[in-house]
Amino acid sequence: MDDDALLAEQMAYYRAGAAEYDRPYAEYEDLQKLLAVVDELPIAGDVLELACGTGQWTTLLAARAHSVTAVDAAAEVLALARARTASPIVQFLEADLFE
């Protein structure tokens, strides 16, 4: 499979599964604990979050940063991230990271 086909397949996967993407975080305690790692990071200033997905981490980053630019290529997950994140310091961008 060439790179373009692989990336298209990956994009289709994330778009189709956007609504279910966060389910493992609700089901597995270890993943819930993983989110607390943000508390240990020296986050300050402006943050660029690549492949932000549904914004699971975006709200946590926004609570510590001066600003957050959250980027993802899938409009479906960005819509979920926007709905989850009410912070005025977050800017969402739909962009392909490989372009």
Side-chain angles (χ1 to χ4, degrees):
M1 179 179 291
D2 69 15
D3 290 347
D4 290 336
L6 180 62
L7 292 173
E9 182 179 311
Q10 183 180 19
M11 180 65 72
Y13 169 82
Y14 285 112
R15 287 185 165 150
E20 302 297 320
Y21 191 78
D22 291 331
R23 186 185 323 184
Y25 285 92
E27 294 177 355
Y28 298 103
E29 186 177 341
D30 287 344
L31 286 176
Q32 293 167 14
K33 291 177 185 176
L34 179 62
L35 294 172
V37 168
V38 172
D39 293 332
E40 300 170 18
L41 298 175
I43 298 170
D46 301 317
V47 173
L48 175 61
E49 182 185 16
L50 301 176
C52 68
T54 61
Q56 183 82 253
W57 296 88
T58 309
T59 55
L60 300 172
L61 295 169
R64 291 156 181 80
H66 175 70
S67 71
V68 177
T69 301
V71 182
D72 204 287
E76 294 80 358
V77 294
L78 279 175
L80 294 169
R82 282 186 183 100
R84 167 183 271 155
T85 308
S87 176
I89 68 162
V90 177
Q91 177 185 10
F92 291 98
L93 297 175
E94 183 178 341
D96 183 340
L97 300 179
F98 296 105
E99 290 186 9

